[in-house]
Amino acid sequence: MTGVSLHRPLPLAEVPQWDLACDVAVVGFGAAGACAALAAREAGANVMLFERNAGSGGASGLSGGEIYVGGGSPVQRAAGFDDDVADFAAYLKAAGGPCVDVAKCDLYAREAVAHFAWLQAQGVPYRGNYLPGKHIEPTDDSTLIWSGSEAAAPYVDQARPAPRGHVVQHMGWGGGRTLMDRLEARVRAVGVDVRCNARVVSLVADGAAIVGLVVRMDNQLFHVRALGGVVLASGGFVMNEDMRRRYCPDTFRINDPIGDKDDGAGILMGMGAGGDAIHMEQFFTTCPWTIPESHAQGVFVNVAGQRFINEDCYHGRVSRTAVDQPGGRVYLLLDNARFQQPPDFARMTIAGTGDSWDEVEAELGMAAGTLSATMAVYNRHAADGHDPLFDKRPPMLVPLDQGPFVALELNFQTSYFSFFTLGGLATNTDGAVLDRGGAPVRGLYAAGRCTSGLPAWGHGYASGLSLADCTFFGRQAGAAAARHAAGHG
Amino acid sequence: MTGVSLHRPLPLAEVPQWDLACDVAVVGFGAAGACAALAAREAGANVMLFERNAGSGGASGLSGGEIYVGGGSPVQRAAGFDDDVADFAAYLKAAGGPCVDVAKCDLYAREAVAHFAWLQAQGVPYRGNYLPGKHIEPTDDSTLIWSGSEAAAPYVDQARPAPRGHVVQHMGWGGGRTLMDRLEARVRAVGVDVRCNARVVSLVADGAAIVGLVVRMDNQLFHVRALGGVVLASGGFVMNEDMRRRYCPDTFRINDPIGDKDDGAGILMGMGAGGDAIHMEQFFTTCPWTIPESHAQGVFVNVAGQRFINEDCYHGRVSRTAVDQPGGRVYLLLDNARFQQPPDFARMTIAGTGDSWDEVEAELGMAAGTLSATMAVYNRHAADGHDPLFDKRPPMLVPLDQGPFVALELNFQTSYFSFFTLGGLATNTDGAVLDRGGAPVRGLYAAGRCTSGLPAWGHGYASGLSLADCTFFGRQAGAAAARHAAGHG
């Protein structure tokens, strides 16, 4: 079911009987739900986990399995990177932009190294090595990569840069499935009662407090008591066009939602229970323009022939800023030495070529003196290692002054711009869902992309931020629900 | 009271007794509340209107008193403008951008001429003449002015342009107070029970339906029964820093909120009653850079020396796009023939001068070949009446190639960028507040800036759109509440 239609929780008085009971009920078996369940079990709670699909995964299972960890992880230290909590926190806060949740950044910056050890203790494997270069995901089974805009302006001036993308040991892209396999194995090993093919259709409220849920399994409704409450971990709303139109209409500029039935059901249930939803207009997007890696030394211009960002930023930050540009498309400018045919799935096309930038400019139908002047300024300063406009830095800053040249078109409607939503329920650092007054909704917790968390701002995204948020604040939510249950015991 | 703290309605069972009763209760005595009250009275309802201030006005009273009316008003026709409903509707929809409410645009486009007649029938005076030129508000008591981006790209290609700003007869700026004086006089004349110094602190709900409110007057709480329900017309949230931080953080780039205690109380009460709030990240802003009018022929560049919009758009659309630019400031480029000292209240400063654009570029600290190339391209094409980058058109498109030149700095933090919020409760064309499923919250209506309405999108604002929305959809809300009361009668 899509639409914008889930609503108020079922009042307790309308529950015919409790069919099932637990201390903590978790909704969704992605990384956030798995970690919530694990943390609740660690705290001694009886845990039920409901997943509407036939198995675990969610959007986490479709991901690269990369988790943003900093502050001095063993992998960072072994590779010679001297990251610390202060720099890590500063970066996280800068990445949150105007939407930042300072308390979440500070807590995660302090706890990330311990969180990484916890993930390893759950059986999540890491090879432990550092892979230099610019990668969307490692092409082998390496662990540590640069996965954000740490070394690029303005971040590099706000926090000492370090690579922080920690990738599960998995050969090639798509490590998220491996991550989920390990988390699922652990969830089952510690005795979480996992119910798949189980769609949660409603929360149950006793007054303003959430005390259970209603779940459809085998075409029957079951009323499930949850003494400590419910953890919503059911993902974002990228698959719900009605919600996107209402809350995040700018996503209609692009066409490739990524998610796994992320229809916003958890957000709607949370709002119906009194929770606030914030930063709902925020989204992540990227077009894989850094493949091959030589393209990362290219220059982006908009249809006016203007640069719009330092291209040494994270590919997603560049792509998100690209989608802000007028004209429905941008161009990636390259010389022949760097150009290779982009991967088919990117659906990027060659829009112009020429032996000089004047020729490219003319072939793109741009006015004389636009793109060519842009490249003249760029090349003159790149030769000196400077970018006076956007502060792009070496090694990505190189002159592109030896033709022939090529302009690749990234078209918002026809090129591959994947995206997912970042807005969601307001939560505190314990994962408690907050109402509009900032007070917790009793018995209601949430984590992952049904909340607004560490990756709060589309322009500040880095690979691994969402899974960091899912796994760490999933644990926080599960532990808090278990404590709440114990208080009832 | 500011903060993000108003909440669920008071349950009917907790109402000790009804101290007062009416058919329709209106909250707020700006233009939206006044028109809601008038329409409810027209429909035969007994109406109470509660205003927390000592008198009428709200943000409407601080405004220019300009109402966006198209489709062929008598004033338009007398001035020779052949506007029609289709063009008017097309413009309204384009102005709504990704946040557009198509049904509201279509209804208002059809009804605007009749609405203008209704306003006149309430005693709102209009001189009836057309004032050519580019004005933020008329400097005399003229009626019709160009008040949006109708004649500029891309709008001019989507709808045949016409001036649509209809200004109350009032000498000079600030006609909003005159508008409110006339509406207030009418409200009192038709027997609305107006209570000033009356702060509404809560709605009252019978189940999910709103049946009254709680109001503090003379330090006492009164419980007011409203048979047909409550119309919220209490303004936006520009004066509530907590709400801005949570819902509209980009407004912190600028510093001059305009409003009258617009603390979002109505939005919070509406959300607490189950209403949805949408497009909360949207805001209007403007810096009065078109004073003197000769400055409207200037060219804007960002700190990279790049143009970013066709400067013949509405001053607010230009200003809103300016605030999107990196670097915290933009520059308005002028030649000496056009330059005059800007008004003091604009707090714009001269950042650079020069006999050539190269000199201005250097004085602004920009890299050689940036601003100067921008102006070379601009001037070359302006001489031919074209703007290949942003489609700016004559008469605003003129070459600026005879020095000396000047660059005025519009600094987001220190120049005068006034702003107010545009997001708010979701309502249908009857002014009924909608829940997240799109169903009306029974007995709850809203209008004006506590809703998301015709001026849904900051980049598409035109002067008069907000008062059009307030007055027309205020009437809709009041009439619907009166019908709801009659259904109970």
Side-chain angles (χ1 to χ4, degrees):
Chain A
M1 178 202 59
T2 57
V4 184
S5 56
L6 285 178
H7 259 233
R8 299 296 180 88
L10 185 71
L12 179 59
E14 295 176 28
V15 173
Q17 76 288 318
W18 293 120
D19 303 303
L20 294 164
C22 59
D23 294 326
V24 174
V26 177
V27 184
F29 203 175
C35 291
L38 288 170
R41 280 298 291 144
E42 283 174 4
N46 290 312
V47 181
M48 296 195 74
L49 188 158
F50 301 96
E51 165 59 47
R52 69 175 137 185
N53 285 330
S56 74
S60 305
L62 302 172
S63 78
E66 185 173 345
I67 300 183
Y68 201 80
V69 174
S73 79
V75 188
Q76 288 181 309
R77 289 203 309 273
F81 292 101
D82 186 27
D83 199 12
D84 66 22
V85 169
D87 284 312
F88 183 34
Y91 184 80
L92 290 173
K93 289 176 203 176
C99 306
V100 66
D101 184 323
V102 170
K104 286 182 182 173
C105 294
D106 280 330
L107 178 64
Y108 183 63
R110 283 198 307 271
E111 296 295 329
V113 172
H115 179 58
F116 184 66
W118 180 88
L119 288 163
Q120 292 179 298
Q122 308 312 304
V124 179
Y126 291 97
R127 180 172 151 199
N129 68 310
Y130 165 61
L131 181 68
K134 199 169 180 87
H135 306 280
I136 294 182
E137 298 179 27
T139 46
D140 60 9
D141 63 347
S142 291
T143 299
L144 184 63
I145 62 172
W146 292 91
S147 72
S149 303
E150 301 86 357
Y155 302 97
V156 68
D157 297 324
Q158 297 168 355
R160 205 172 31 148
R164 301 193 182 103
H166 288 61
V167 189
V168 64
Q169 185 164 14
H170 171 94
M171 190 55 69
W173 284 34
R177 187 61 255 171
T178 294
L179 173 69
M180 285 309 306
D181 287 344
R182 299 306 178 102
L183 291 176
E184 174 172 1
R186 183 69 180 167
V187 162
R188 293 188 184 275
V190 300
V192 172
D193 184 353
V194 175
R195 307 290 179 102
C196 289
N197 300 305
R199 176 189 293 281
V200 174
V201 297
S202 177
L203 299 170
V204 174
D206 180 3
I210 300 305
V211 297
L213 51 75
V214 185
V215 58
R216 179 175 291 278
M217 299 185 284
D218 291 331
N219 271 323
Q220 277 191 289
L221 289 181
F222 292 79
H223 295 79
V224 183
R225 186 177 185 207
L227 196 63
V230 173
V231 180
L232 297 169
S234 48
F237 60 98
V238 74
M239 299 304 190
N240 185 324
E241 288 208 1
D242 292 336
M243 284 185 75
R244 281 172 51 205
R245 204 169 298 283
R246 180 173 280 213
Y247 300 119
C248 195
D250 282 338
T251 57
F252 286 94
R253 296 187 199 175
I254 48 181
N255 277 322
D256 299 285
I258 44 174
D260 176 29
K261 301 182 184 163
D262 289 65
D263 68 359
I267 297 172
L268 295 173
M269 282 192 281
M271 291 198 291
D276 200 5
I278 59 176
H279 307 314
M280 293 287 278
E281 76 287 356
Q282 291 297 320
F283 64 96
F284 160 86
T285 188
T286 201
C287 182
W289 62 274
T290 56
I291 305 173
E293 197 176 333
S294 60
H295 287 192
Q297 293 181 324
V299 168
F300 273 101
V301 293
N302 61 22
V303 296
Q306 303 167 326
R307 291 179 64 218
F308 50 84
I309 196 165
N310 46 326
E311 297 88 353
D312 55 346
C313 285
Y314 173 63
H315 55 85
R317 177 171 163 82
V318 174
S319 298
R320 181 66 191 79
T321 309
V323 169
D324 288 333
Q325 302 302 305
R329 59 194 185 282
V330 297
Y331 300 104
L332 175 59
L333 307 180
L334 294 161
D335 56 16
N336 253 22
R338 286 171 183 76
F339 172 74
Q340 293 177 43
Q341 192 63 39
D344 285 349
F345 80 96
R347 304 194 300 266
M348 291 158 57
T349 53
I350 295 175
T353 57
D355 289 323
S356 67
W357 288 119
D358 295 288
E359 288 181 29
V360 175
E361 174 182 85
E363 206 164 309
L364 295 177
M366 292 181 183
T370 54
L371 182 150
S372 57
T374 296
M375 290 310 295
V377 170
Y378 180 82
N379 285 331
R380 188 165 67 246
H381 294 278
D384 299 332
H386 295 293
D387 168 15
L389 268 62
F390 293 100
D391 204 5
K392 185 179 180 178
R393 303 197 183 181
M396 291 303 153
L397 179 69
V398 294
L400 300 175
D401 52 8
Q402 301 294 321
F405 302 112
V406 62
L408 285 170
E409 176 172 332
L410 282 71
N411 185 294
F412 306 163
Q413 286 292 305
T414 58
S415 300
Y416 181 75
F417 277 89
S418 61
F419 68 100
F420 55 83
T421 59
L422 298 177
L425 297 169
T427 54
N428 65 17
T429 54
D430 283 337
V433 173
L434 302 179
D435 67 17
R436 283 177 283 274
V441 177
R442 271 168 58 93
L444 190 61
Y445 306 85
R449 289 292 58 76
C450 66
T451 71
S452 175
L454 293 175
W457 185 47
H459 292 79
Y461 197 82
S463 284
L465 268 189
S466 186
L467 278 181
D469 186 67
C470 289
T471 55
F472 181 76
F473 288 101
R475 290 174 64 200
Q476 294 291 108
R483 286 197 300 274
H484 187 48
H488 282 279
Chain B
M1 180 199 57
T2 59
V4 185
S5 56
L6 284 179
H7 259 237
R8 300 294 181 87
L10 186 71
L12 180 59
E14 296 177 26
V15 172
Q17 76 286 320
W18 292 122
D19 303 304
L20 295 164
C22 59
D23 294 326
V24 174
V26 177
V27 184
F29 203 175
C35 291
L38 288 170
R41 278 299 292 146
E42 283 174 5
N46 290 313
V47 181
M48 297 194 75
L49 189 158
F50 301 96
E51 165 57 47
R52 67 175 139 183
N53 285 330
S56 75
S60 306
L62 302 173
S63 78
E66 185 172 346
I67 300 184
Y68 202 79
V69 174
S73 79
V75 188
Q76 288 181 308
R77 289 203 310 272
F81 292 100
D82 187 27
D83 199 11
D84 67 22
V85 169
D87 285 311
F88 183 34
Y91 184 80
L92 290 173
K93 290 175 201 176
C99 307
V100 67
D101 184 323
V102 169
K104 285 182 183 172
C105 294
D106 281 330
L107 178 65
Y108 184 63
R110 284 198 306 273
E111 297 295 329
V113 171
H115 179 58
F116 183 66
W118 180 88
L119 287 164
Q120 292 179 297
Q122 307 314 304
V124 180
Y126 291 97
R127 179 172 152 199
N129 67 311
Y130 165 61
L131 180 69
K134 199 168 181 86
H135 306 279
I136 294 181
E137 299 179 26
T139 46
D140 60 10
D141 64 346
S142 290
T143 299
L144 183 64
I145 63 171
W146 292 90
S147 71
S149 303
E150 302 85 359
Y155 302 97
V156 69
D157 297 324
Q158 297 168 355
R160 204 172 31 146
R164 300 193 181 103
H166 287 62
V167 188
V168 63
Q169 185 164 13
H170 170 93
M171 191 55 70
W173 283 35
R177 187 62 254 173
T178 295
L179 173 68
M180 285 310 307
D181 286 344
R182 298 306 178 103
L183 291 176
E184 175 172 0
R186 183 70 178 163
V187 163
R188 294 187 183 277
V190 300
V192 173
D193 184 353
V194 175
R195 306 291 180 104
C196 291
N197 300 306
R199 175 190 294 280
V200 173
V201 296
S202 177
L203 299 170
V204 174
D206 181 3
I210 300 305
V211 297
L213 50 75
V214 185
V215 58
R216 179 176 291 277
M217 298 185 283
D218 292 331
N219 269 325
Q220 277 190 291
L221 290 181
F222 292 79
H223 294 81
V224 183
R225 187 177 184 207
L227 195 63
V230 173
V231 180
L232 297 169
S234 48
F237 61 97
V238 74
M239 299 304 190
N240 184 324
E241 288 209 359
D242 292 336
M243 284 185 75
R244 281 172 51 205
R245 203 169 298 283
R246 179 173 280 213
Y247 300 119
C248 196
D250 282 338
T251 55
F252 286 94
R253 294 188 201 174
I254 47 181
N255 277 323
D256 300 285
I258 44 175
D260 177 28
K261 301 183 185 162
D262 287 65
D263 67 0
I267 296 173
L268 295 173
M269 282 191 279
M271 292 199 290
D276 200 3
I278 59 176
H279 307 314
M280 293 286 277
E281 75 287 355
Q282 293 296 321
F283 63 98
F284 159 86
T285 188
T286 202
C287 181
W289 62 273
T290 56
I291 305 172
E293 198 177 334
S294 60
H295 287 193
Q297 292 181 324
V299 169
F300 272 102
V301 293
N302 61 23
V303 295
Q306 302 167 328
R307 291 179 63 215
F308 51 83
I309 196 163
N310 45 327
E311 297 86 353
D312 55 346
C313 285
Y314 173 63
H315 55 84
R317 177 171 163 81
V318 174
S319 299
R320 181 65 190 80
T321 308
V323 170
D324 288 334
Q325 302 302 307
R329 60 194 184 282
V330 296
Y331 300 103
L332 175 59
L333 307 180
L334 294 161
D335 57 15
N336 253 23
R338 286 170 182 78
F339 171 74
Q340 292 178 41
Q341 192 63 38
D344 285 347
F345 80 97
R347 304 193 300 266
M348 292 158 56
T349 53
I350 295 176
T353 57
D355 290 324
S356 67
W357 288 119
D358 295 286
E359 288 181 27
V360 174
E361 175 182 83
E363 204 164 312
L364 294 177
M366 293 181 183
T370 54
L371 182 149
S372 56
T374 296
M375 291 309 294
V377 171
Y378 180 83
N379 284 331
R380 187 164 68 246
H381 294 278
D384 298 332
H386 296 292
D387 168 16
L389 268 62
F390 293 99
D391 204 5
K392 183 178 181 178
R393 303 197 184 181
M396 291 304 152
L397 179 69
V398 295
L400 300 176
D401 52 8
Q402 301 294 322
F405 302 113
V406 61
L408 285 170
E409 176 172 332
L410 282 69
N411 184 293
F412 306 163
Q413 286 292 307
T414 58
S415 298
Y416 181 74
F417 277 89
S418 60
F419 68 101
F420 55 84
T421 61
L422 298 177
L425 297 169
T427 54
N428 65 15
T429 54
D430 283 337
V433 174
L434 303 179
D435 67 17
R436 282 176 283 273
V441 177
R442 273 168 55 93
L444 189 61
Y445 305 85
R449 288 293 57 75
C450 66
T451 72
S452 175
L454 293 175
W457 185 47
H459 293 79
Y461 197 83
S463 284
L465 268 188
S466 186
L467 277 181
D469 186 68
C470 289
T471 55
F472 181 76
F473 289 102
R475 288 174 64 201
Q476 294 290 109
R483 288 197 299 275
H484 187 48
H488 282 279

